[in-house]
Amino acid sequence: MKVATCAVGFALVSRQVCANPTANNPQDACCSALAQEAILAGKVIFPQDSAYDARLAAYYSANSALPPWCMVLPTSTDDVSKIAGIITANQCPFGMRSGAHSAFNGSNGVQDGITVDFGYLNTTTYNADTKIASIQPGSNWGDAFTALDTYNVTVAGGRASVVGVGGFTTGGGYSFHSNAHGFACDNVANFEIVLANGSVVNANPTENADLWKAQKGGSGNFGFVTRIDMYTIEGTQIWGGFTSYNLTKRDEVFNAYINFTENSDDQASQNIVALYYDSTGFALRSILTNSQGIENAPAFAEYMAIGNISSTLRTAAVAELVPEFTGPTPLGQYANWMVGMTTNSFDVLDFIDRALKEYATKMQAAAPDSEFSVLIEFQPVTTMMVDHSVKNGVNVLGLEDVISTGPTLMWLIALTVDTPENQEVILPIALEYRDAINEYATSIGANKDWNYLNYAWVDEDPISDYGAENIALIQDVASRYDPTGAFQKLRHSGFKIPL
Ligand SMILES: Cc1cc2nc3c(=O)[nH]c(=O)nc-3n(C[C@H](O)[C@H](O)[C@H](O)COP(=O)(O)OP(=O)(O)OC[C@H]3O[C@@H](n4cnc5c(N)ncnc54)[C@H](O)[C@@H]3O)c2cc1C
Ligand SMILES: *[C@@H]1O[C@H](CO)[C@@H](O)[C@H](O)[C@H]1NC(C)=O
Ligand SMILES: *[C@@H]1O[C@H](CO)[C@@H](O)[C@H](O)[C@H]1NC(C)=O
Ligand SMILES: *[C@@H]1O[C@H](CO)[C@@H](O)[C@H](O)[C@H]1NC(C)=O
Ligand SMILES: *[C@@H]1O[C@H](CO)[C@@H](O)[C@H](O)[C@H]1NC(C)=O
Ligand SMILES: *[C@@H]1O[C@H](CO)[C@@H](O)[C@H](O)[C@H]1NC(C)=O
Ligand SMILES: *[C@@H]1O[C@H](CO)[C@@H](O)[C@H](O)[C@H]1NC(C)=O
Ligand SMILES: *[C@@H]1O[C@H](CO)[C@@H](O)[C@H](O)[C@H]1NC(C)=O
């Protein structure tokens, strides 16, 4: 047996030699401890298993599809409790994955360690008496909405069917219902969480309330979230869709965006404007939505007066609507996101659009044969959204200060590239583009210096933007619920707590 090779190698090497893990090295100690646990029988998968490749292929972004020593796929809270105990006892490096929709290398998996994959914890149940939906972290929002449709209720969940529940909700969660109900995390009645020592706790307004608050934005820093109980919203019908505009309508669309964001007090209506580039050229579109299914709400009058090329706007159950927003397909392309926030400024929109022309042209010239796309999304964070957060018990996102002088503009760059070689030349240009936007926004006094965790690039340190008080709470909660620091030292995926 080539066990020695296994100790230094992984991925393709370990595919051949790690079939019978032994306890001679850390990777074998961790994976064999898991595999030997009776309740985990059949739930630990190794590189030679076909399920291992299938799980890697199901990552949204090829950048984050890291091949671990082994993956473990719990099917119950007890399983997760056992896994936590083994991780702590053996000091196993680990990654955690729910829907696997975060994009960067290291966002939801690990190479030198074990990936705890919540993909089989994917059910949604509804309690008609309490009106609470219990959603497991490995579900995606399309499945969760479909399950709830039966009861004519929905939740403030994701806007694309494929997006996962666990990462989305623990990182905030911008929903079509956010103006009316806040972020997804603000709608959490209770988190069930498995701590590093294997204990199972509930975190809600009356039990472990500090952990409940910290978990609303604190991501994977405290434990493994195994169930999310959410308040539901009556009715499932949403009006929404893409509307495409001739690029000559740019100023009208930008004005409509700024005016809507500044002036609308319609809690059901929300707007997004997107710029897009691929080898076929530039495009401009909006995503208008009304979470009560009302068509052409008066809040959208300025948008409706702009001539358009095409529109998919319609009223439908949210489960029917969300597949439309599922981003580039097929899976397995190289996705990269960067985010920032400014005041609700026309000048910022104008700068980002003009700079896109320049930087996209540079990218195309640097990798002429590449099939890549750049999507820019403008989404407001409004006073209405944040007021709901406050009303529902407060999260740790720290947005109260950020929006105290008015609604803000959250911008997102989503770069999707076909191959790692092309990415190597295009990504640095995208990062230059991001830096240019921040520099410009700072130069005109518009920069809000707040990076949304669920869209953040690996170097954007989103939790550091939550404000001193929230960071102190997060640090305190982590030190009490995870006293050995397993989720800081052993967890190798996602964003950490600033020191
Ligand atoms: C097509 C598309 C559309 C999107 N639309 C939206 C949108 O409308 N609104 C929005 O806000 N975001 C959106 N996002 C971003 C999305 O919120 C993040 O990618 C989010 O992380 C996805 O959740 P996930 O379960 O797939 O996370 P994963 O990628 O699986 O995990 C990301 C991180 O979340 C944490 N985490 C995951 N599971 C758990 C758990 N069980 N317990 C504790 N921590 C955990 C971990 O730290 C992990 O590293 C979108 C992304 C895509 C690709
Ligand atoms: C992720 O990053 C590590 C460390 O830089 C690197 O070895 C690995 O090849 C990367 N994986 C992917 C899928 O990009
Ligand atoms: C949940 O996961 C199982 C196992 O991968 C899969 O068969 C099933 O289709 C998934 N979705 C739902 C909604 O159960
Ligand atoms: C679903 O709920 C909405 C909002 O309460 C209501 O208007 C509608 O009549 C309900 N539909 C059904 C089929 O019960
Ligand atoms: C956009 O408008 C210009 C000027 O009116 C026109 O020449 C062009 O054909 C339009 N493009 C599309 C795609 O409709
Ligand atoms: C907003 O609306 C007003 C008219 O109500 C208009 O003059 C202005 O150009 C619009 N755009 C911005 C960015 O204010
Ligand atoms: C798009 O244009 C069509 C045809 O003119 C019009 O009926 C529709 O209301 C427009 N929609 C939007 C969102 O502008
Ligand atoms: C597990 O950790 C929690 C939080 O630190 C603690 O309250 C609990 O007593 C611990 N449980 C065991 C069995 O040690």
Side-chain angles (χ1 to χ4, degrees):
M1 276 224 36
K2 288 185 274 173
V3 173
T5 316
C6 189
V8 295
F10 48 81
L12 291 173
V13 177
S14 64
R15 267 160 211 263
Q16 313 310 321
V17 298
C18 289
N20 297 302
T22 67
N24 290 351
N25 52 65
Q27 74 222 54
D28 289 351
C30 293
C31 292
S32 65
L34 291 169
Q36 281 160 19
E37 193 57 59
I39 66 165
L40 298 179
K43 301 170 191 174
V44 186
I45 55 180
F46 289 90
Q48 70 273 14
D49 298 327
S50 62
Y52 181 99
D53 293 325
R55 293 310 292 161
L56 282 184
Y59 273 88
Y60 173 75
S61 163
N63 286 317
S64 68
L66 305 185
W69 297 336
C70 62
M71 303 172 185
V72 56
L73 289 103
T75 60
S76 69
T77 302
D78 283 349
D79 288 355
V80 180
S81 177
K82 226 10 139 201
I83 293 165
I86 290 170
I87 284 176
T88 306
N90 295 281
Q91 293 289 292
C92 306
F94 69 97
M96 52 205 296
R97 157 186 183 167
S98 280
H101 269 68
S102 280
F104 63 82
N105 182 336
S107 56
N108 45 23
V110 64
Q111 195 157 290
D112 296 319
I114 63 179
T115 295
V116 183
D117 178 344
F118 289 92
Y120 292 172
L121 276 174
N122 64 356
T123 64
T124 296
T125 55
Y126 177 63
N127 181 328
D129 296 328
T130 58
K131 300 195 172 180
I132 284 182
S134 294
I135 312 178
Q136 291 184 313
S139 178
N140 67 45
W141 286 109
D143 290 340
F145 292 143
T146 301
L148 295 174
D149 263 5
T150 319
Y151 307 99
N152 195 30
V153 297
T154 191
V155 286
R159 293 170 296 181
S161 51
V162 293
V163 173
V165 169
F168 180 93
T169 309
T170 57
Y174 193 127
S175 164
F176 288 135
H177 294 277
S178 288
N179 260 346
H181 296 279
F183 294 90
C185 65
D186 299 316
N187 294 271
V188 175
N190 177 66
F191 289 105
E192 181 188 78
I193 304 175
V194 173
L195 304 179
N197 67 4
S199 299
V200 183
V201 298
N202 284 292
N204 55 58
T206 54
E207 255 176 299
N208 302 306
D210 49 358
L211 177 59
W212 175 63
K213 178 174 174 181
Q215 190 60 81
K216 294 192 274 178
S219 193
N221 282 295
F222 315 108
F224 297 106
V225 172
T226 46
R227 199 185 71 234
I228 299 174
D229 298 328
M230 289 183 81
Y231 299 113
T232 51
I233 299 162
E234 302 273 320
T236 63
Q237 299 294 299
I238 287 208
W239 177 81
F242 286 110
T243 302
S244 298
Y245 306 93
N246 191 317
L247 295 172
T248 57
K249 305 284 186 192
R250 192 206 79 145
D251 282 7
E252 288 168 65
V253 173
F254 283 3
N255 274 323
Y257 174 91
I258 295 292
N259 276 339
F260 176 93
T261 300
E262 202 66 38
N263 302 324
S264 172
D265 58 2
D266 176 355
Q267 299 204 347
S269 294
Q270 295 184 186
N271 74 337
I272 299 171
V273 162
L275 308 171
Y276 184 78
Y277 173 81
D278 68 15
S279 57
T280 65
F282 293 91
L284 168 67
R285 62 196 182 190
S286 68
I287 299 172
L288 308 180
T289 55
N290 181 285
S291 60
Q292 293 173 341
I294 296 166
E295 292 178 22
N296 303 345
F300 295 120
E302 193 173 339
Y303 276 107
M304 292 302 165
I306 307 168
N308 65 76
I309 296 171
S310 64
S311 179
T312 66
L313 277 167
R314 68 206 183 280
T315 297
V318 62
E320 290 164 45
L321 216 64
V322 288
E324 181 172 355
F325 306 105
T326 289
T329 48
L331 296 180
Q333 298 180 71
Y334 294 79
N336 309 270
W337 310 329
M338 299 127 211
V339 72
M341 184 177 277
T342 70
T343 56
N344 185 42
S345 158
F346 184 97
D347 291 342
V348 172
L349 298 182
D350 174 61
F351 178 88
I352 292 176
D353 178 53
R354 282 186 294 108
L356 175 63
K357 304 275 167 10
E358 177 192 336
Y359 286 94
T361 306
K362 251 197 219 178
M363 292 173 194
Q364 194 69 74
D369 301 325
S370 173
E371 284 297 327
F372 71 94
S373 67
V374 189
L375 169 70
I376 311 295
E377 279 194 335
F378 302 118
Q379 309 182 57
V381 173
T382 66
T383 317
M384 281 183 276
M385 289 175 191
V386 179
D387 283 351
H388 289 290
S389 307
V390 174
K391 200 173 67 195
N392 292 359
V394 192
N395 56 46
V396 287
L397 300 173
L399 284 164
E400 299 84 348
D401 282 349
V402 175
I403 56 88
S404 61
T405 51
T408 60
L409 165 68
M410 178 157 74
W411 54 265
L412 164 70
I413 302 172
L415 167 71
T416 309
V417 189
D418 51 357
T419 67
E421 294 74 23
N422 286 326
Q423 177 173 252
E424 206 167 307
V425 293
I426 295 174
L427 178 58
I429 303 171
L431 289 165
E432 270 176 49
Y433 177 35
R434 175 206 47 185
D435 295 346
I437 297 170
N438 277 319
E439 207 172 296
Y440 171 77
T442 301
S443 76
I444 63 162
N447 207 337
K448 287 290 187 181
D449 296 314
W450 192 87
N451 295 323
Y452 178 41
L453 185 143
N454 281 349
Y455 293 161
W457 180 241
V458 61
D459 68 1
E460 288 179 333
D461 197 13
I463 296 176
S464 71
D465 298 329
Y466 289 3
E469 215 174 293
N470 290 314
I471 295 170
L473 174 80
I474 289 171
Q475 287 167 337
D476 178 54
V477 166
S479 73
R480 285 183 294 108
Y481 291 91
D482 178 22
T484 66
F487 285 84
Q488 302 309 305
K489 292 179 222 146
L490 298 176
R491 180 177 59 111
H492 288 263
S493 65
F495 292 105
K496 303 277 174 62
I497 303 172
L499 295 171

